[in-house]
């Protein structure tokens, strides 16, 4: 079974990535800080889209009571997310440090739109930590529990 990242989350990731590309072209210390952020962020975004976010695509089906045996395939992703949570959180700390540097550079160089972007990305990371990652893990636990009863 193929698991799709919810469209709203995918669109937000794509927008953040596009804004980061623009920020890397800002020049000066701000552009350099954005490039440093991009280096830290790239692998993390790839991992999220590979195994952390796709399980969320099952939420609507699960909430409506639809559980099918092929949903067991999601367990590879949710088990991996659970195993890699310490790494994901460490990456978020590195990303937050890079964002703080971007915010400082954008303030210094009077680039408020890039400061706002960095703050928006910090909130995005918090939403992942507080909502998306736990929800993905719960999807796996729920699917495992329901299928074990079947």
């Amino acid at each position: 079974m193929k698991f799709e990242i919810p469209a709203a989350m995918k669109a937000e990731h794509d927008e953040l990535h596009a804004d980061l590309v623009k920020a890397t072209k800002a020049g000066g210390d701000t552009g350099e800080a954005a490039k440093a952020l991009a280096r830290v962020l790239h692998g993390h975004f790839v991992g999220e889209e590979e195994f952390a976010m796709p399980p969320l695509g099952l939420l609507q089906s699960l909430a409506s009571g639809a559980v099918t045996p092929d949903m067991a395939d999601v367990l590879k992703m949710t088990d991996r997310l659970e195993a890699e949570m310490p790494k994901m959180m460490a990456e978020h700390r590195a990303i937050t440090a890079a964002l703080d540097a971007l915010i400082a550079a954008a303030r210094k160089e009077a680039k408020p739109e890039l400061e706002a972007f960095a703050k928006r990305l910090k909130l995005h990371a918090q939403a992942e930590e507080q909502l998306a990652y736990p929800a993905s893990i719960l999807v796996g636990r729920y699917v495992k529990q329901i299928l074990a009863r079947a």
Side-chain angles (χ1 to χ4, degrees), residues 42-89:
H42 177 72
H44 182 79
F45 261 22
V46 169
E48 284 180 338
E49 293 192 359
E50 184 179 319
F51 62 88
M53 291 183 167
L56 298 173
L58 290 179
L59 282 172
Q60 287 183 311
S61 294
L62 295 175
S64 69
V67 180
T68 59
D70 59 342
M71 287 181 178
D73 294 341
V74 80
L75 300 178
K76 292 175 196 142
M77 287 183 253
T78 58
D79 289 350
R80 181 175 173 191
L81 175 59
E82 257 189 287
E84 292 195 24
M85 275 300 288
K87 176 183 176 247
M88 299 290 281
M89 299 309 287

Side-chain angles (χ1 to χ4, degrees), residues 76-114:
K76 292 175 196 142
M77 287 183 253
T78 58
D79 289 350
R80 181 175 173 191
L81 175 59
E82 257 189 287
E84 292 195 24
M85 275 300 288
K87 176 183 176 247
M88 299 290 281
M89 299 309 287
E91 289 171 351
H92 270 207
R93 288 188 293 278
I95 291 164
T96 297
L99 285 165
D100 288 340
L102 177 55
I103 289 168
R107 278 186 188 151
K108 180 180 146 203
E109 295 179 342
K111 296 180 180 174
E113 70 285 353
L114 296 178

